[in-house]
Amino acid sequence: MTVSASSSAQQARQALAKRLADLCRDAELTGLELAEHCGWSRSKSSRIMNAKTPPSADDIRAWCRTCGAEDQTEDLIASLRTAEGMWVNWRRMERAGLRQAQEARLPLYQQTHRFRSYSSWLVPGMIQTQPYTTAALQAIQRRRGLVDDVADAVAARMERQRVLYEAGDRRFAFLIEESVLRAGIGGAEVMSGQLGHLMSIASLPHVSLGVVPMTPDRERWPAEGFWIYDAAQVNVELISGYLTITQPSEVAMYAETFAELAALAVYGAAARALITSAMNTLG
């Protein structure tokens, strides 16, 4: 199941377009008159009001000034930024390096009480060892040609893991595909340490760790990795970028998928057996 990368963002853009259209009507202006006042092409205001063309911050300023609604300018620009931030390609997100991308998520982690994470590619960042994180981020840095701030990014991720160990009333549910246990990130020594760490994590009273076994007859196939934060937000890591979902109906779709995958997973002794089996293949 993959929710369209543009679905939540398009909802936000349409809501912004409607607010701008309402301002135009309240000012008793036609779209053509507004465009003329702003010095735009005849069709620009219509494209903005129909959510076909996103406005820029300067467009919003001109729009509000023309409609006599300058008191709404900053709020509308904030709505624009929200819509823009729902879908971010990796290059844009990591243009200043990997450390900033790691630090940006800390406030969300601190305010969340129920974490649900599903991963089909890597061990989730919250339960990675430092060597595993280093190997994974080094690979990303080289592949994407980013500034080499891997050491700082690793430190930021390790700092973020404090949320797990200072849990309080927080609860964490991690689901990983069995293939993740055999992915070989960083080599045998790194993977051995990481798999041993999973054993320790699974023993924490506020943590549930499930492994979805590789079987030939699965009816629910692997999906893209995602995090659910309480019932308010989902973040999805796709090949092309980072998706933030806040529409309740879409969040519910991911929660349903998580429940279906959780029903396929094994826990406790059965999960430890799969982890041990993967460790034994490392030699």
Side-chain angles (χ1 to χ4, degrees):
M1 178 216 66
T2 302
V3 172
S4 166
S6 64
S7 180
S8 286
Q10 183 62 23
Q11 291 268 2
R13 285 194 291 268
Q14 288 172 345
L16 175 60
K18 183 180 183 302
R19 291 180 65 185
L20 292 171
D22 288 344
L23 288 183
C24 188
R25 282 192 294 270
D26 291 345
E28 299 183 348
L29 294 171
T30 66
L32 178 58
E33 289 170 337
L34 187 141
E36 288 175 345
H37 280 295
C38 293
W40 298 338
S41 67
R42 295 168 62 90
S43 63
K44 180 172 179 175
S45 58
S46 176
R47 293 198 307 271
I48 290 174
M49 285 191 285
N50 288 293
K52 294 182 178 178
T53 299
S56 66
D58 285 340
D59 290 339
I60 290 176
R61 292 187 183 96
W63 195 293
C64 291
R65 186 168 56 249
T66 300
C67 294
E70 290 179 279
D71 60 323
Q72 298 192 45
T73 300
E74 293 309 313
D75 184 49
L76 289 166
I77 289 175
S79 295
L80 171 67
R81 299 297 185 228
T82 297
E84 291 177 334
M86 287 183 172
W87 170 250
V88 185
N89 66 41
W90 291 119
R91 184 157 296 281
R92 176 183 165 196
M93 186 174 182
E94 298 166 347
R95 61 179 177 266
L98 291 166
R99 177 186 61 81
Q100 185 176 14
Q102 295 297 316
E103 291 177 340
R105 302 180 205 178
L106 181 58
L108 176 61
Y109 279 59
Q110 291 173 329
Q111 69 190 31
T112 299
H113 292 275
R114 185 188 182 194
F115 294 79
R116 283 169 285 179
S117 172
Y118 165 75
S119 183
S120 54
W121 296 347
L122 299 170
V123 171
M126 183 72 79
I127 53 176
Q128 291 176 359
T129 64
Q130 184 168 335
Y132 186 99
T133 295
T134 300
L137 293 184
Q138 282 178 338
I140 291 171
Q141 184 269 329
R142 289 193 296 265
R143 186 168 67 250
R144 296 179 185 159
L146 303 173
V147 173
D148 187 357
D149 65 344
V150 169
D152 291 337
V154 171
R157 180 170 288 183
M158 295 299 106
E159 173 65 20
R160 204 169 66 198
Q161 289 184 1
R162 290 178 60 184
V163 173
L164 178 67
Y165 295 101
E166 300 172 357
D169 63 348
R170 295 186 179 95
R171 294 295 178 266
F172 301 82
F174 299 100
L175 291 177
I176 58 176
E177 293 285 341
E178 183 182 354
S179 57
V180 171
L181 306 177
R182 304 174 184 276
I185 305 300
E189 184 176 351
V190 169
M191 279 303 301
S192 180
Q194 177 61 69
L195 294 174
H197 184 59
L198 291 181
M199 296 276 208
S200 300
I201 289 293
S203 68
L204 296 176
H206 56 284
V207 172
S208 168
L209 176 65
V211 180
V212 185
M214 296 185 294
T215 60
D217 56 351
R218 279 178 59 170
E219 294 185 2
R220 158 50 78 183
W221 52 87
E224 69 275 6
F226 58 87
W227 282 81
I228 307 175
Y229 301 92
D230 292 325
Q233 178 174 321
V234 175
N235 285 129
V236 189
E237 295 190 357
L238 302 174
I239 290 174
S240 54
Y242 192 74
L243 173 63
T244 298
I245 293 170
T246 56
Q247 290 296 320
S249 62
E250 296 183 17
V251 172
M253 289 174 66
Y254 276 93
E256 180 181 350
T257 296
F258 188 90
E260 291 174 356
L261 290 164
L264 297 178
V266 296
Y267 304 85
R272 290 193 297 272
L274 289 178
I275 296 170
T276 300
S277 174
M279 293 177 71
N280 290 339
T281 66
L282 296 173

